[in-house]
Amino acid sequence: MTWHDGVKKFFSTYFSSPRMGPLGYILHSQYSPFRLETVYPSRNWRDAFEDLLALDLGGQMIPEAYRKAEDTFAAKQRYDLASDAIALSNTLIRENKEIDSRITRLSRVATKSGDKALAAHLADTTMRSQLKAITSQSITQAQEVKSRYESDQSKPASSLESRCHWIASLISSGALPGWSWYERTSVDGPVVTFGRVNAPPELEASIATSDKELLLRFDHGQPYSFGSPQPLREDLLQALVDGRLQAPESKTGSRESFNASQFSIMVQAGRAEPFKRSDGSMGMKVILDNNLANGTWKSQEFVQEPEKVFEEIHHAQQSMSGLRDFLVSWPGKDVLDYIEDLKKTLDERIADYEDDSFL
């Protein structure tokens, strides 16, 4: 047996074992909702599977009111995403025109001053072409986001969730009792460990995965593999917490709250616990613990508030992604910061030539 075959057999056996239960089915079966949605994307496999899990536990399907509350929040998230993309595109178009105007003006004063070398350099279209390419790419992305927003308006909230976060929502709704999740950020983005809570030895189980791995698994047919992505660089993280490293402020809408800072979420741990109400009926309580970049922990509890839990899970994902994007790309500049620096440089050169001492 080859190493590849051995790894494949190990995961197949592990995911099919009783200790993994429905989670193993979701992560491995050819009939997993993750696989079915790639073949029949127009159908709502995720909500249907969650209802089946709830019914199998002897309960009821997820109440329509819960779905509607989640859908309302998801609609706002889609709108914010589309608005941000369009705002960034419009900003780049405006900034590109301003840069073009400054280059023309500097070329004119340089020619007037007899600086033929600078005038020849400015006549080169490379800089303008690069800026236009960036702007064109942004416009294309904005149009794609806008089209996706228009086509996704009627889709349920579960379609907004990444695969890992949808599994977390199954745990928080009580559809996967006895499980918890522990999400941390890494160089490849959020990594989530799902584990049994207070299980007997024969049912102890855990599995760590990421949306990147699930994408490769279900969209591209690649097998699971051992190992985890590298954590974020500790020196850069500490510099961010100490204030020695400043993340640039977002130039557009809703992304402001996800700028990398000492308050960015590094880890989110979540679990659901049943409890008995005063009238004797059973309810579900969700406990979320967030570990911030500065080392502090923030704990929250939610009772029968699915839309709030949905929002907090989504917020943690965005916060981790924002932190990861900044620390992994550091010291790279945001395109708008680059344009701002370029405008400043051009203005300074124009001022030099227009000064009486140079003319």
Side-chain angles (χ1 to χ4, degrees), residues 12 23 62 89 113 153 160 165 171 180 218 249 255 267 324 326 330 358:
S12 179
L23 181 57
I62 305 302
S89 175
S113 301
Q153 287 189 77
L160 176 69
H165 290 98
I171 296 173
S180 66
F218 291 103
E249 293 186 3
R255 289 183 293 185
V267 169
R324 179 259 175 201
F326 172 64
W330 187 87
F358 288 87

Side-chain angles (χ1 to χ4, degrees), residues 9-314:
K9 181 179 180 180
F10 169 82
F11 280 112
S12 179
T13 303
Y14 186 69
F15 284 128
S16 302
S17 64
R19 67 180 64 211
M20 288 298 292
L23 181 57
Y25 186 92
I26 293 170
L27 294 174
H28 185 68
S29 172
Q30 61 178 326
Y31 300 110
S32 163
F34 292 159
R35 186 177 298 284
L36 292 175
E37 67 188 8
T38 65
V39 181
Y40 306 102
S42 62
R43 300 183 183 181
N44 185 2
W45 297 105
R46 296 188 184 190
D47 286 354
F49 191 82
E50 184 175 16
D51 286 336
L52 285 175
L53 288 177
L55 291 172
D56 188 57
L57 291 169
Q60 299 179 339
M61 293 192 300
I62 305 302
E64 186 63 28
Y66 286 12
R67 298 279 193 221
K68 188 175 181 179
E70 291 179 344
D71 289 345
T72 299
F73 174 75
K76 180 180 182 302
Q77 290 298 309
R78 292 190 181 103
Y79 176 80
D80 288 344
L81 181 63
S83 297
D84 280 356
I86 293 170
L88 178 59
S89 175
N90 291 336
T91 299
L92 284 172
I93 292 172
R94 184 178 62 253
E95 294 290 345
N96 190 52
K97 290 180 179 178
E98 292 188 12
I99 290 291
D100 194 71
S101 175
R102 282 170 167 79
I103 292 175
T104 300
R105 184 178 174 188
L106 179 56
S107 179
R108 187 173 59 249
V109 295
T111 300
K112 185 177 179 180
S113 301
D115 192 338
K116 296 181 179 180
L118 179 57
H121 175 70
L122 294 173
D124 184 356
T125 61
T126 301
M127 184 188 301
R128 284 173 168 152
S129 297
Q130 289 175 342
L131 289 171
K132 287 179 179 179
I134 293 173
T135 302
S136 178
Q137 182 182 22
S138 176
I139 293 172
T140 300
Q141 291 174 345
Q143 290 173 338
E144 290 174 352
V145 172
K146 183 174 181 291
S147 297
R148 192 160 58 245
Y149 165 71
E150 292 171 346
S151 64
D152 288 353
Q153 287 189 77
S154 61
K155 291 184 178 180
S158 57
S159 67
L160 176 69
E161 296 176 290
S162 68
R163 284 166 170 152
C164 283
H165 290 98
W166 179 69
I167 296 175
S169 74
L170 293 182
I171 296 173
S172 67
S173 71
L176 281 180
W179 287 87
S180 66
W181 76 90
Y182 181 93
E183 180 180 10
R184 66 174 179 85
T185 188
S186 75
V187 295
D188 283 347
V191 176
V192 187
T193 299
F194 300 102
R196 289 278 194 179
V197 179
N198 300 322
E202 67 273 13
L203 290 179
E204 288 182 351
S206 67
I207 186 72
T209 189
S210 66
D211 287 310
K212 180 179 179 180
E213 184 174 43
L214 294 180
L215 174 71
L216 295 174
R217 167 67 178 169
F218 291 103
D219 292 54
H220 302 286
Q222 295 189 20
Y224 288 107
S225 60
F226 293 110
S228 298
Q230 292 294 318
L232 298 178
R233 282 178 54 180
E234 286 289 342
D235 58 331
L236 293 183
L237 179 62
Q238 190 58 51
L240 183 70
V241 173
D242 294 344
R244 292 179 284 118
L245 189 62
Q246 294 292 327
E249 293 186 3
S250 174
K251 305 295 191 304
T252 55
S254 63
R255 289 183 293 185
E256 288 182 5
S257 59
F258 306 122
N259 287 340
S261 74
Q262 61 176 320
F263 303 110
S264 295
I265 298 174
M266 286 282 293
V267 169
Q268 181 178 79
R271 65 189 187 279
E273 297 179 355
F275 72 96
K276 183 177 288 188
R277 298 190 182 94
S278 57
D279 62 1
S281 63
M282 298 300 295
M284 189 65 64
K285 175 174 64 176
V286 178
I287 299 97
L288 297 179
D289 296 311
N290 293 332
N291 181 213
L292 308 185
N294 62 11
T296 61
W297 283 87
K298 178 183 177 183
S299 184
Q300 301 177 84
E301 292 188 3
F302 303 91
V303 178
Q304 307 299 121
E305 296 179 288
E307 75 283 1
K308 291 291 186 182
V309 176
F310 184 95
E311 182 175 356
E312 287 300 321
I313 292 175
H314 187 73

Side-chain angles (χ1 to χ4, degrees), residues 233 236 245-248 325-338 341:
R233 282 178 54 180
L236 293 183
L245 189 62
Q246 294 292 327
D325 290 347
F326 172 64
L327 293 184
V328 170
S329 64
W330 187 87
K333 279 185 174 292
D334 180 87
V335 62
L336 290 178
D337 292 325
Y338 167 75
D341 288 346

